[in-house]
Amino acid sequence: MSSAIIEINQLYTQFGSLIIHEALNLTIQKGEIIALIGGSGTGKTTLLREIILLEKPKSGSIRVFGQEILELSETQAIWLRQRCGVMFQHGALFSSLTVAENIAVPLKEHTDLSQRMIDEIVAYKIAIVGLPPYAGVNHPSQLSGGMVKRAALARALALDPEILFLDEPTAGLDPIGAGALDELILQLKKLLGLTIVMVTHDLDSLWKVTDRIAVLADKKVIAAKPIHELVNINHPWLQAYFHGARGRAAQESTWTAK
Ligand SMILES: Nc1ncnc2c1ncn2[C@@H]1O[C@H](COP(=O)(O)OP(=O)(O)O)[C@@H](O)[C@H]1O
Ligand SMILES: [Mg+2]
């Protein structure tokens, strides 16, 4: 049985005279991995930011955990953000802190846990993202790109969120590192029962990890379907996306892997 965890209705977003979203609708089910795709500047990052109240739309409705969030007070907004883990594209770790200290930041900010408890939770988060225990004492600059992403993921998971938002998680990684991160995302979903909303351009990730893909085009979500149903939709942007050379290569490599 599925139930909605995020319901967006008739959403309008505008910056100055620039209309980004116009009557956008999207429902996300609990426990699914859904990707947002769309051309650059179509408002994917903005949509993520609106769902956790870092940005305010002009009008419309966003219900998260059954609650209309656009009516929440600033205190209630903190409650919402605590239940959501976020890894932003450029949301880098604090470079002056070690990995362990970075992961501890949300725990120190939002809980009264003792240092000993925090240390234990941090060690557990380091383990579940597949980092070696010693990574905790390293500073981000001492780690590879893939390890930095894992550390950022560990920090996003610090408060045991129910929804995880990932903005272009595999960007900047080589194909092997990206593939390993995809595996980790799938494992974390199974292990923690997460709902995952990810923005990605990575066609390999799209085929491998997503249950559904929401396509932003023409200022709205023009389709939200499993990938094999999307490839046949007759929209110019989608056709170019899936039937260009890179799109075909990703699809073929999935077939041979299955
Ligand atoms: N706070 C803001 N003020 C003004 N314009 C913004 C703001 N945030 C985003 N934009 C604009 O909105 C559009 C959508 O941005 P974004 O959500 O980052 O797109 P995407 O993530 O799909 O590439 C872009 O044209 C961007 O410049
Ligand atoms: Mg973006």
Side-chain angles (χ1 to χ4, degrees), residues 203-204 207 231 240-253:
L203 282 154
D204 291 321
W207 280 101
V231 292
Y241 192 80
F242 285 116
H243 301 292
R246 294 177 63 222
R248 279 200 309 273
Q251 186 169 1
E252 277 157 18
S253 73

Side-chain angles (χ1 to χ4, degrees), residues 13-16 18-21 37-49 55 89 167-168 199 201 216:
T13 305
Q14 191 169 345
F15 295 116
L18 185 66
I19 297 168
I20 308 293
H21 306 130
I37 66 171
S40 177
T42 50
K44 304 179 295 295
T45 297
T46 301
L47 190 61
L48 292 192
R49 291 173 56 82
E55 197 83 63
Q89 197 176 353
D167 199 351
E168 308 207 15
V199 175
H201 290 288
L216 264 81

Side-chain angles (χ1 to χ4, degrees), residues 8-47:
I8 303 169
N9 278 299
Q10 294 295 309
L11 190 78
Y12 285 77
T13 305
Q14 191 169 345
F15 295 116
S17 60
L18 185 66
I19 297 168
I20 308 293
H21 306 130
E22 195 171 44
L24 180 149
N25 298 317
L26 175 64
T27 299
I28 296 174
Q29 303 297 332
K30 192 168 188 305
E32 74 173 332
I33 301 187
I34 187 164
L36 297 180
I37 66 171
S40 177
T42 50
K44 304 179 295 295
T45 297
T46 301
L47 190 61

Side-chain angles (χ1 to χ4, degrees), residues 40-92:
S40 177
T42 50
K44 304 179 295 295
T45 297
T46 301
L47 190 61
L48 292 192
R49 291 173 56 82
E50 287 172 337
I51 299 170
I52 48 173
L53 286 174
L54 294 177
E55 197 83 63
K56 266 231 146 141
K58 193 165 165 241
S59 65
S61 161
I62 303 179
R63 298 180 74 83
V64 185
F65 308 121
Q67 172 87 41
E68 176 55 65
I69 63 157
L70 300 178
E71 291 163 1
L72 295 182
S73 66
E74 195 43 46
T75 326
Q76 290 168 312
I78 294 170
W79 159 86
L80 170 73
R81 285 187 209 115
Q82 286 181 14
R83 296 177 67 181
C84 297
V86 191
M87 185 168 117
F88 278 117
Q89 197 176 353
H90 305 293

